[in-house]
Amino acid sequence: MRRVNILGVEISAVNKETAIQYLLKNMDKARGRYICACNVHTTVTAHENLDYQAVQNNSFMTLPDGKPLSSVGIRRGYSEMGRVTGPDFMEQVIAATEKSDARHYFYGTTQENLNALLEYLKVNYPQLSIVGCEPSLFRPLTIQEETELCDRINESKADFVWVALGAPRQEKFCAKLSKNTNAVWIAVGGAFNVISGVIPRAPQWMQDHSLEWLYRWSKEPKRLFKRYAETNSKFIFYLIKEKVEKR
């Protein structure tokens, strides 16, 4: 799997099709490991925090969840790169494995939102094997709780563990616990709520033109303004700084 280094973060040079093909073809290698979906915000966070950067770089795959990342990759010669969002990747894997023996475990968000996801999956993927689901406790787990969670996952014989806790917590969570199981853990942020319809997704034309961020900002302007303004500015600054330093 080829990767492109963007501000110290090794982003997998994949697109929607090649990402899922690589995972399903290499499931034996993916077991006990984890997958991240990296965007501008997490890239800047990882650039500034070396511990979190190591988590991203030690993943089985770090998906380019964000047009700026795939655009940088393409400009650097990785022509195959394309945006791979958490919701898209999750639903693609689910669709591809619905009629197989693959088992899925869901961890994160609230019980109410988790119920909405399960209802959606039962209607749209009735043959999907769901072997476990539990909401986030919205606090760090104790060592005993971590052990018990891994035991439940192993007892369920899950192949995929989908984790929705929000970055950077979810990636650290997956990196710490995945090795204690025989499943691949996939950090997908708000994918549970997006796929179930709890959080409306941007119209397709906005997704196609990389304007999904603008749609999200219009829905939560107060919460997202500082994040977008600060991290996007830092991302551009760090890229320019990196380019100057390499001259």
Side-chain angles (χ1 to χ4, degrees), residues 51-111:
D51 289 336
Y52 183 52
Q53 185 180 116
V55 168
Q56 291 280 356
N57 291 346
N58 288 327
S59 69
F60 180 72
M61 277 197 293
T62 293
L63 306 174
D65 181 359
K67 188 68 173 180
L69 299 181
S70 59
S71 295
V72 171
I74 290 172
R75 288 199 298 271
R76 293 182 180 179
Y78 296 83
S79 59
E80 68 272 32
M81 284 186 73
R83 187 182 180 211
V84 187
T85 70
D88 286 340
F89 186 71
M90 177 175 161
E91 192 148 18
Q92 279 186 305
V93 172
I94 286 172
T97 60
E98 178 195 2
K99 298 178 182 180
S100 71
D101 294 330
R103 297 166 171 247
H104 297 260
Y105 201 105
F106 299 90
Y107 183 89
T109 193
T110 64
Q111 186 63 59

Side-chain angles (χ1 to χ4, degrees), residues 137-156:
L137 297 181
F138 296 96
R139 60 164 173 78
L141 301 186
T142 65
I143 293 177
Q144 181 177 345
E145 288 171 334
E146 291 176 344
T147 299
E148 291 173 348
L149 172 61
C150 290
D151 288 343
R152 290 193 295 273
I153 289 170
N154 285 327
E155 289 171 4
S156 75

